[in-house]
Amino acid sequence: MDGLTGIPAAPRAGEWAVRRRGRPPARLRLFCLPHAGGGAAAFRSWAPHLGPEIEVVPIRLPGRESRFRERPHDRLGDLLPPLLRDVAPLLDGPHAWFGHSMGAGIAFEVCRALHRLGLPEPRRLLVAGLPAPQLPRRATPVHDAPAPELFERIGALNGHGAEARAGNPLLNVMLPTLRADFAVAETHVHRPGPPLDCPITVYGGRSDASTTEDELRAWGPHSTAGTTVRLFDGGHFFPHDAPEAFLPVLVRDLLDRRPAHLG
């Protein structure tokens, strides 16, 4: 696609977009970006809930799952070009982007880049568990903190900090990837730009200490087509902790062609 001429070529690496082979064409393609430390497996169970009209396309970032041996990106500016190059051929029909926490910030910047590069833009952006990007960060950065402090933050997001402090073998194995993911989120500096032309739907957990309702509503200026804010019971990981409550709402939002509500 012409817009990609401005993106430098990246070395050959693993595929970013994970697709199910032999799947019939869908009405809408949904790209999904995970929280810090998460992988494509976080969205494995979503397809049956979203039905045949929506193709779930998880994004597998370097440093996890089948890409575990690849070095994870620790800066959003380095992550975007290869991601855009990999997904560009899949933008040939209606599509939307969903991101959770760190993934929400990446999804937002992907959609801004599509507009900037003249590539096909999404029908909707859906973000979960992340304050609006122009707001100052309340949390102290932990990407370069001692491991116990980083694990403490992860445990607090999960609602069980004591377990994280006790030490989790999987967390230790994933430590380089976790540090890189937190660095992507914590070092990125928001730069003002034109709002997106697609609606934005913002999801939050009522018990999520990392966001407030006002911080979620502050996404409003980033869309000319309006924003909708929806709150769910649960904490930071409400999309995965209670999919039976979250996913039907997600489907309705994805298939709704009306402009989003303001605020």
Side-chain angles (χ1 to χ4, degrees):
M1 295 183 178
D2 292 342
L4 290 172
T5 56
I7 299 178
R12 181 64 183 168
E15 292 183 339
W16 297 70
V18 179
R19 303 183 69 195
R20 195 178 79 192
R21 294 182 179 178
R23 190 193 190 286
R27 178 175 164 187
L28 181 74
R29 189 169 285 152
L30 176 65
F31 298 99
C32 298
L33 281 152
H35 56 81
F43 306 102
R44 182 178 297 152
S45 65
W46 283 25
H49 295 276
L50 270 59
E53 292 189 289
I54 301 170
E55 178 187 5
V56 180
V57 183
I59 299 298
R60 178 172 289 143
L61 304 173
R64 68 215 73 207
E65 299 170 336
S66 63
R67 305 186 68 184
F68 182 76
R69 295 187 181 277
E70 295 180 45
R71 181 178 178 179
H73 293 285
D74 60 4
R75 295 295 184 271
L76 186 54
D78 296 330
L79 184 156
L80 281 179
L83 170 56
L84 288 166
R85 282 196 169 276
D86 192 82
V87 302
L90 303 180
L91 305 178
D92 56 349
H95 64 278
W97 287 80
F98 170 85
H100 180 210
S101 196
M102 172 199 71
I106 298 173
F108 173 61
E109 291 299 340
V110 165
C111 293
R112 295 177 94 192
L114 296 179
H115 177 81
R116 187 169 61 248
L117 296 168
L119 295 172
E121 297 183 43
R123 186 175 285 180
R124 187 177 293 265
L125 169 65
L126 309 102
V127 294
L130 186 71
Q134 77 276 15
L135 299 178
R137 295 184 181 92
R138 289 188 284 114
T140 303
V142 294
H143 67 273
D144 57 356
E149 189 174 336
L150 175 59
F151 294 161
E152 175 78 13
R153 175 69 57 78
I154 295 169
L157 290 172
N158 277 289
H160 44 69
E163 294 179 23
R165 285 197 300 273
N168 181 321
L170 180 59
L171 289 180
N172 285 297
V173 170
M174 289 293 294
L175 183 57
T177 297
L178 288 166
R179 287 196 183 281
D181 285 358
F182 271 87
V184 166
E186 294 174 345
T187 64
H188 179 63
V189 178
H190 173 71
R191 291 179 172 81
L196 300 175
D197 293 330
C198 68
I200 299 177
T201 305
V202 186
Y203 304 112
R206 291 188 176 93
S207 302
D208 185 356
S210 70
T211 61
T212 67
E213 185 173 348
D214 286 344
E215 289 173 329
L216 298 174
R217 294 194 180 281
W219 278 92
H222 295 290
S223 171
T224 62
T227 61
T228 300
V229 176
R230 304 196 193 284
L231 298 178
F232 293 82
D233 291 337
H236 189 64
F237 292 97
F238 68 93
H240 303 294
D241 291 341
E244 68 284 351
F246 174 68
L247 292 179
V249 178
L250 180 73
V251 171
R252 288 197 298 270
D253 288 335
L254 284 169
L255 299 180
D256 186 358
R257 295 301 305 274
R258 296 169 299 175
H261 302 292
L262 293 175

